[in-house]
Amino acid sequence: MEFAILILFEMMIVIVYGERIKLFGLGTIISCLFFLKLSGRIIAKPKVFSINEYLAGFSFFLYAIHAPFLVNFLNKISYRIIPLHGLGCLVQFVLPPLITITIGTLIGIILKKICLPLFALLNGGRK
């Protein structure tokens, strides 16, 4: 429900003297409130919180791996496979980051289990 309200406010347009002005400020405030509420729900559920706490250990690793993987590999492949018009643009915008997050996290989990010192080195000393 909150997500629908967020989209509604993001799409709201005000007519001022015949010009359309998007309410960026209101959208930002609504977005902040939405994510604060989402954070509260995550903290309230211990199982979900423990999963997020575990995955938070891979955040820097994902930051370090995302640029070479996303820019050099996935974007080049998606430009050749997905058409650059209509729904293809949305798919190309959303799918490569999701694939990067999924594969990067899996690589981090496997690397952490197989070779912890290498993972710590690639992760900036974080274990």
Side-chain angles (χ1 to χ4, degrees), residues 17-59:
Y17 302 111
E19 295 181 27
R20 294 180 178 197
I21 300 172
K22 189 167 180 182
L23 295 174
F24 287 112
L26 184 60
T28 302
I29 291 170
I30 298 296
S31 299
C32 289
L33 293 174
F34 170 76
F35 285 111
L36 280 172
K37 185 165 183 123
L38 180 65
S39 298
R41 288 191 178 182
I42 288 172
I43 290 172
K45 297 180 181 180
K47 185 175 181 179
V48 175
F49 180 75
S50 66
I51 292 170
N52 284 325
E53 189 176 29
Y54 174 72
L55 291 176
F58 299 101
S59 62

CSV table of all heavy atoms in Angstrom, one decimal, residues 17-59:
chain,number,residue,atom,x,y,z
A,17,TYR,N,1.2,28.3,-13.9
A,17,TYR,CA,1.3,29.2,-15.0
A,17,TYR,C,1.5,28.5,-16.3
A,17,TYR,O,2.2,28.9,-17.1
A,17,TYR,CB,2.4,30.2,-14.8
A,17,TYR,CG,2.3,31.0,-13.5
A,17,TYR,CD1,3.2,30.8,-12.4
A,17,TYR,CD2,1.3,32.0,-13.4
A,17,TYR,CE1,3.0,31.6,-11.3
A,17,TYR,CE2,1.1,32.7,-12.2
A,17,TYR,CZ,2.0,32.5,-11.2
A,17,TYR,OH,1.9,33.2,-10.0
A,18,GLY,N,0.8,27.4,-16.5
A,18,GLY,CA,0.8,26.7,-17.7
A,18,GLY,C,2.0,25.8,-17.9
A,18,GLY,O,2.2,25.1,-18.8
A,19,GLU,N,2.9,25.7,-16.9
A,19,GLU,CA,4.1,24.8,-17.0
A,19,GLU,C,3.9,23.7,-16.0
A,19,GLU,O,3.3,23.9,-14.9
A,19,GLU,CB,5.4,25.6,-16.6
A,19,GLU,CG,5.7,26.7,-17.6
A,19,GLU,CD,7.0,27.4,-17.2
A,19,GLU,OE1,7.8,26.8,-16.5
A,19,GLU,OE2,7.1,28.6,-17.6
A,20,ARG,N,4.4,22.6,-16.3
A,20,ARG,CA,4.4,21.4,-15.4
A,20,ARG,C,5.6,21.3,-14.6
A,20,ARG,O,6.7,21.3,-15.1
A,20,ARG,CB,4.2,20.1,-16.2
A,20,ARG,CG,2.9,20.1,-16.9
A,20,ARG,CD,2.7,18.8,-17.7
A,20,ARG,NE,1.4,18.8,-18.4
A,20,ARG,CZ,0.9,17.8,-18.8
A,20,ARG,NH1,1.5,16.6,-18.8
A,20,ARG,NH2,-0.3,17.8,-19.4
A,21,ILE,N,5.4,21.2,-13.3
A,21,ILE,CA,6.6,21.1,-12.4
A,21,ILE,C,6.4,19.9,-11.5
A,21,ILE,O,5.3,19.8,-10.9
A,21,ILE,CB,6.7,22.4,-11.5
A,21,ILE,CG1,6.9,23.6,-12.3
A,21,ILE,CG2,7.8,22.2,-10.5
A,21,ILE,CD1,6.8,24.9,-11.6
A,22,LYS,N,7.3,19.0,-11.6
A,22,LYS,CA,7.2,17.8,-10.8
A,22,LYS,C,7.6,18.1,-9.3
A,22,LYS,O,8.5,18.9,-9.1
A,22,LYS,CB,8.1,16.7,-11.3
A,22,LYS,CG,7.9,15.4,-10.7
A,22,LYS,CD,8.6,14.3,-11.5
A,22,LYS,CE,8.4,13.0,-10.7
A,22,LYS,NZ,9.0,11.9,-11.4
A,23,LEU,N,6.9,17.5,-8.4
A,23,LEU,CA,7.1,17.8,-7.0
A,23,LEU,C,8.2,16.9,-6.5
A,23,LEU,O,8.0,15.9,-5.8
A,23,LEU,CB,5.8,17.5,-6.2
A,23,LEU,CG,4.7,18.4,-6.5
A,23,LEU,CD1,3.4,18.0,-5.7
A,23,LEU,CD2,5.0,19.9,-6.1
A,24,PHE,N,9.5,17.3,-6.8
A,24,PHE,CA,10.6,16.5,-6.3
A,24,PHE,C,10.7,16.5,-4.8
A,24,PHE,O,11.0,15.4,-4.2
A,24,PHE,CB,11.9,17.0,-6.9
A,24,PHE,CG,12.1,16.7,-8.4
A,24,PHE,CD1,12.0,17.8,-9.3
A,24,PHE,CD2,12.2,15.4,-8.8
A,24,PHE,CE1,12.2,17.5,-10.6
A,24,PHE,CE2,12.4,15.2,-10.2
A,24,PHE,CZ,12.3,16.2,-11.1
A,25,GLY,N,10.5,17.6,-4.2
A,25,GLY,CA,10.6,17.7,-2.7
A,25,GLY,C,9.6,16.7,-2.0
A,25,GLY,O,10.0,16.0,-1.1
A,26,LEU,N,8.4,16.8,-2.5
A,26,LEU,CA,7.4,15.9,-1.8
A,26,LEU,C,7.7,14.4,-2.1
A,26,LEU,O,7.6,13.6,-1.2
A,26,LEU,CB,6.0,16.3,-2.4
A,26,LEU,CG,4.8,15.5,-1.7
A,26,LEU,CD1,4.8,15.8,-0.2
A,26,LEU,CD2,3.5,16.0,-2.4
A,27,GLY,N,8.1,14.1,-3.3
A,27,GLY,CA,8.5,12.8,-3.6
A,27,GLY,C,9.7,12.3,-2.7
A,27,GLY,O,9.7,11.1,-2.3
A,28,THR,N,10.6,13.1,-2.5
A,28,THR,CA,11.8,12.8,-1.6
A,28,THR,C,11.3,12.5,-0.2
A,28,THR,O,11.7,11.6,0.4
A,28,THR,CB,12.8,13.9,-1.7
A,28,THR,OG1,13.2,14.1,-3.0
A,28,THR,CG2,14.0,13.5,-0.8
A,29,ILE,N,10.5,13.4,0.3
A,29,ILE,CA,10.0,13.2,1.7
A,29,ILE,C,9.2,11.9,1.8
A,29,ILE,O,9.4,11.1,2.7
A,29,ILE,CB,9.1,14.4,2.1
A,29,ILE,CG1,10.0,15.7,2.2
A,29,ILE,CG2,8.3,14.2,3.4
A,29,ILE,CD1,9.2,16.9,2.4
A,30,ILE,N,8.3,11.7,0.8
A,30,ILE,CA,7.5,10.4,0.9
A,30,ILE,C,8.4,9.2,0.8
A,30,ILE,O,8.2,8.2,1.4
A,30,ILE,CB,6.4,10.4,-0.3
A,30,ILE,CG1,5.5,11.6,-0.1
A,30,ILE,CG2,5.7,9.1,-0.3
A,30,ILE,CD1,4.6,11.5,1.2
A,31,SER,N,9.4,9.3,-0.1
A,31,SER,CA,10.4,8.2,-0.2
A,31,SER,C,11.1,7.9,1.1
A,31,SER,O,11.3,6.7,1.5
A,31,SER,CB,11.4,8.5,-1.3
A,31,SER,OG,10.8,8.6,-2.5
A,32,CYS,N,11.5,9.0,1.8
A,32,CYS,CA,12.2,8.8,3.1
A,32,CYS,C,11.3,8.1,4.1
A,32,CYS,O,11.7,7.2,4.8
A,32,CYS,CB,12.7,10.1,3.6
A,32,CYS,SG,14.1,10.8,2.6
A,33,LEU,N,10.1,8.6,4.1
A,33,LEU,CA,9.1,8.0,5.1
A,33,LEU,C,8.8,6.5,4.7
A,33,LEU,O,8.7,5.7,5.6
A,33,LEU,CB,7.8,8.8,5.1
A,33,LEU,CG,7.9,10.2,5.6
A,33,LEU,CD1,6.6,11.0,5.4
A,33,LEU,CD2,8.3,10.2,7.1
A,34,PHE,N,8.7,6.2,3.5
A,34,PHE,CA,8.5,4.9,3.0
A,34,PHE,C,9.7,4.0,3.5
A,34,PHE,O,9.4,2.9,4.1
A,34,PHE,CB,8.3,4.8,1.5
A,34,PHE,CG,8.3,3.4,1.0
A,34,PHE,CD1,7.2,2.6,1.1
A,34,PHE,CD2,9.5,2.9,0.3
A,34,PHE,CE1,7.2,1.3,0.6
A,34,PHE,CE2,9.5,1.6,-0.2
A,34,PHE,CZ,8.4,0.8,0.0
A,35,PHE,N,10.9,4.4,3.3
A,35,PHE,CA,12.0,3.5,3.6
A,35,PHE,C,12.2,3.5,5.1
A,35,PHE,O,12.7,2.5,5.6
A,35,PHE,CB,13.3,4.0,2.9
A,35,PHE,CG,13.3,3.6,1.4
A,35,PHE,CD1,13.1,4.5,0.4
A,35,PHE,CD2,13.3,2.2,1.1
A,35,PHE,CE1,13.1,4.1,-0.9
A,35,PHE,CE2,13.3,1.8,-0.2
A,35,PHE,CZ,13.2,2.8,-1.2
A,36,LEU,N,11.9,4.5,5.9
A,36,LEU,CA,11.9,4.4,7.3
A,36,LEU,C,10.9,3.4,7.8
A,36,LEU,O,11.2,2.6,8.7
A,36,LEU,CB,11.6,5.8,7.9
A,36,LEU,CG,12.8,6.8,8.0
A,36,LEU,CD1,12.3,8.2,8.4
A,36,LEU,CD2,13.9,6.3,8.9
A,37,LYS,N,9.7,3.4,7.2
A,37,LYS,CA,8.7,2.4,7.6
A,37,LYS,C,9.2,1.0,7.3
A,37,LYS,O,9.0,0.1,8.0
A,37,LYS,CB,7.4,2.7,7.0
A,37,LYS,CG,6.3,1.8,7.4
A,37,LYS,CD,4.9,2.4,7.1
A,37,LYS,CE,3.9,1.5,7.6
A,37,LYS,NZ,2.9,2.1,8.5
A,38,LEU,N,9.8,0.8,6.1
A,38,LEU,CA,10.3,-0.5,5.7
A,38,LEU,C,11.4,-0.9,6.6
A,38,LEU,O,11.4,-2.1,7.0
A,38,LEU,CB,10.8,-0.4,4.3
A,38,LEU,CG,11.4,-1.7,3.7
A,38,LEU,CD1,10.3,-2.7,3.5
A,38,LEU,CD2,12.0,-1.3,2.3
A,39,SER,N,12.3,0.0,7.0
A,39,SER,CA,13.3,-0.4,8.0
A,39,SER,C,12.7,-0.8,9.3
A,39,SER,O,13.2,-1.8,9.9
A,39,SER,CB,14.3,0.8,8.2
A,39,SER,OG,14.9,1.2,7.0
A,40,GLY,N,11.7,-0.1,9.8
A,40,GLY,CA,11.0,-0.5,11.0
A,40,GLY,C,10.5,-1.9,10.9
A,40,GLY,O,10.5,-2.7,11.9
A,41,ARG,N,9.9,-2.3,9.8
A,41,ARG,CA,9.3,-3.6,9.6
A,41,ARG,C,10.4,-4.7,9.6
A,41,ARG,O,10.2,-5.8,10.1
A,41,ARG,CB,8.5,-3.7,8.4
A,41,ARG,CG,7.2,-2.9,8.6
A,41,ARG,CD,6.2,-3.2,7.5
A,41,ARG,NE,5.0,-2.5,7.7
A,41,ARG,CZ,3.9,-2.5,6.9
A,41,ARG,NH1,4.0,-3.3,5.9
A,41,ARG,NH2,2.9,-1.9,7.2
A,42,ILE,N,11.6,-4.3,9.0
A,42,ILE,CA,12.7,-5.3,8.9
A,42,ILE,C,13.2,-5.5,10.3
A,42,ILE,O,13.5,-6.7,10.7
A,42,ILE,CB,13.8,-4.8,8.0
A,42,ILE,CG1,13.3,-4.9,6.5
A,42,ILE,CG2,15.1,-5.5,8.2
A,42,ILE,CD1,14.2,-4.2,5.5
A,43,ILE,N,13.4,-4.5,11.1
A,43,ILE,CA,13.9,-4.6,12.5
A,43,ILE,C,12.9,-5.4,13.4
A,43,ILE,O,13.3,-6.1,14.3
A,43,ILE,CB,14.2,-3.2,13.1
A,43,ILE,CG1,15.4,-2.6,12.3
A,43,ILE,CG2,14.5,-3.3,14.6
A,43,ILE,CD1,15.7,-1.2,12.7
A,44,ALA,N,11.6,-5.2,13.1
A,44,ALA,CA,10.6,-5.9,14.0
A,44,ALA,C,10.6,-7.4,13.8
A,44,ALA,O,10.2,-8.1,14.7
A,44,ALA,CB,9.3,-5.3,13.7
A,45,LYS,N,11.1,-7.9,12.7
A,45,LYS,CA,11.1,-9.4,12.5
A,45,LYS,C,12.5,-9.9,12.6
A,45,LYS,O,13.3,-9.6,11.8
A,45,LYS,CB,10.5,-9.7,11.1
A,45,LYS,CG,9.1,-9.2,10.9
A,45,LYS,CD,8.5,-9.5,9.6
A,45,LYS,CE,7.1,-9.0,9.5
A,45,LYS,NZ,6.5,-9.3,8.2
A,46,PRO,N,12.8,-10.6,13.7
A,46,PRO,CA,14.1,-11.1,14.0
A,46,PRO,C,14.8,-11.9,12.8
A,46,PRO,O,15.9,-11.8,12.6
A,46,PRO,CB,14.0,-11.9,15.2
A,46,PRO,CG,12.7,-11.5,15.9
A,46,PRO,CD,11.9,-11.0,14.7
A,47,LYS,N,14.0,-12.8,12.2
A,47,LYS,CA,14.5,-13.6,11.1
A,47,LYS,C,15.0,-12.8,9.9
A,47,LYS,O,16.1,-13.0,9.4
A,47,LYS,CB,13.5,-14.7,10.7
A,47,LYS,CG,14.1,-15.7,9.7
A,47,LYS,CD,13.1,-16.8,9.4
A,47,LYS,CE,13.7,-17.7,8.4
A,47,LYS,NZ,12.9,-18.8,8.1
A,48,VAL,N,14.1,-11.9,9.5
A,48,VAL,CA,14.4,-11.0,8.4
A,48,VAL,C,15.6,-10.1,8.8
A,48,VAL,O,16.5,-9.9,7.9
A,48,VAL,CB,13.2,-10.1,8.0
A,48,VAL,CG1,13.5,-9.1,6.9
A,48,VAL,CG2,12.0,-11.0,7.6
A,49,PHE,N,15.7,-9.6,10.0
A,49,PHE,CA,16.8,-8.8,10.4
A,49,PHE,C,18.1,-9.6,10.4
A,49,PHE,O,19.1,-9.0,10.0
A,49,PHE,CB,16.5,-8.2,11.8
A,49,PHE,CG,17.6,-7.3,12.3
A,49,PHE,CD1,17.8,-6.1,11.9
A,49,PHE,CD2,18.5,-7.8,13.3
A,49,PHE,CE1,18.8,-5.2,12.3
A,49,PHE,CE2,19.5,-7.0,13.7
A,49,PHE,CZ,19.7,-5.7,13.2
A,50,SER,N,18.1,-10.8,10.9
A,50,SER,CA,19.3,-11.6,10.9
A,50,SER,C,19.8,-11.9,9.4
A,50,SER,O,21.0,-11.9,9.2
A,50,SER,CB,19.1,-12.9,11.6
A,50,SER,OG,18.2,-13.7,11.0
A,51,ILE,N,18.9,-12.1,8.5
A,51,ILE,CA,19.3,-12.3,7.1
A,51,ILE,C,19.9,-11.0,6.6
A,51,ILE,O,21.0,-11.0,5.9
A,51,ILE,CB,18.1,-12.7,6.3
A,51,ILE,CG1,17.6,-14.1,6.7
A,51,ILE,CG2,18.4,-12.6,4.8
A,51,ILE,CD1,16.3,-14.5,6.0
A,52,ASN,N,19.3,-9.9,6.8
A,52,ASN,CA,19.8,-8.6,6.4
A,52,ASN,C,21.1,-8.3,7.0
A,52,ASN,O,22.0,-7.7,6.4
A,52,ASN,CB,18.8,-7.5,6.6
A,52,ASN,CG,17.7,-7.5,5.6
A,52,ASN,OD1,17.9,-7.8,4.4
A,52,ASN,ND2,16.5,-7.1,6.0
A,53,GLU,N,21.3,-8.6,8.3
A,53,GLU,CA,22.5,-8.4,9.0
A,53,GLU,C,23.7,-9.2,8.4
A,53,GLU,O,24.8,-8.7,8.2
A,53,GLU,CB,22.4,-8.7,10.5
A,53,GLU,CG,23.5,-8.3,11.3
A,53,GLU,CD,23.3,-8.6,12.8
A,53,GLU,OE1,22.5,-9.5,13.1
A,53,GLU,OE2,23.8,-7.8,13.6
A,54,TYR,N,23.4,-10.5,8.0
A,54,TYR,CA,24.4,-11.3,7.3
A,54,TYR,C,24.7,-10.8,6.0
A,54,TYR,O,25.9,-10.7,5.6
A,54,TYR,CB,23.8,-12.7,7.2
A,54,TYR,CG,24.7,-13.7,6.4
A,54,TYR,CD1,25.9,-14.1,7.0
A,54,TYR,CD2,24.4,-14.1,5.1
A,54,TYR,CE1,26.7,-14.9,6.2
A,54,TYR,CE2,25.2,-14.9,4.4
A,54,TYR,CZ,26.4,-15.3,5.0
A,54,TYR,OH,27.2,-16.1,4.2
A,55,LEU,N,23.7,-10.4,5.2
A,55,LEU,CA,24.0,-9.8,3.8
A,55,LEU,C,24.7,-8.5,3.9
A,55,LEU,O,25.4,-8.1,2.9
A,55,LEU,CB,22.7,-9.7,3.1
A,55,LEU,CG,22.0,-11.1,2.7
A,55,LEU,CD1,20.7,-10.8,2.0
A,55,LEU,CD2,23.0,-11.9,1.8
A,56,ALA,N,24.6,-7.7,5.0
A,56,ALA,CA,25.2,-6.4,5.1
A,56,ALA,C,26.7,-6.6,5.0
A,56,ALA,O,27.5,-5.7,4.6
A,56,ALA,CB,24.8,-5.7,6.3
A,57,GLY,N,27.2,-7.7,5.4
A,57,GLY,CA,28.7,-8.0,5.4
A,57,GLY,C,29.2,-8.0,4.0
A,57,GLY,O,30.5,-8.0,3.8
A,58,PHE,N,28.4,-8.1,3.0
A,58,PHE,CA,28.8,-8.2,1.6
A,58,PHE,C,28.6,-6.9,0.9
A,58,PHE,O,28.9,-6.8,-0.3
A,58,PHE,CB,28.1,-9.3,0.9
A,58,PHE,CG,28.3,-10.7,1.4
A,58,PHE,CD1,27.4,-11.2,2.3
A,58,PHE,CD2,29.5,-11.4,1.2
A,58,PHE,CE1,27.6,-12.5,2.8
A,58,PHE,CE2,29.7,-12.6,1.7
A,58,PHE,CZ,28.7,-13.2,2.5
A,59,SER,N,28.2,-5.8,1.6
A,59,SER,CA,27.9,-4.6,0.9
A,59,SER,C,29.1,-3.9,0.2
A,59,SER,O,29.1,-3.5,-0.9
A,59,SER,CB,27.3,-3.6,1.9
A,59,SER,OG,28.1,-3.3,2.9
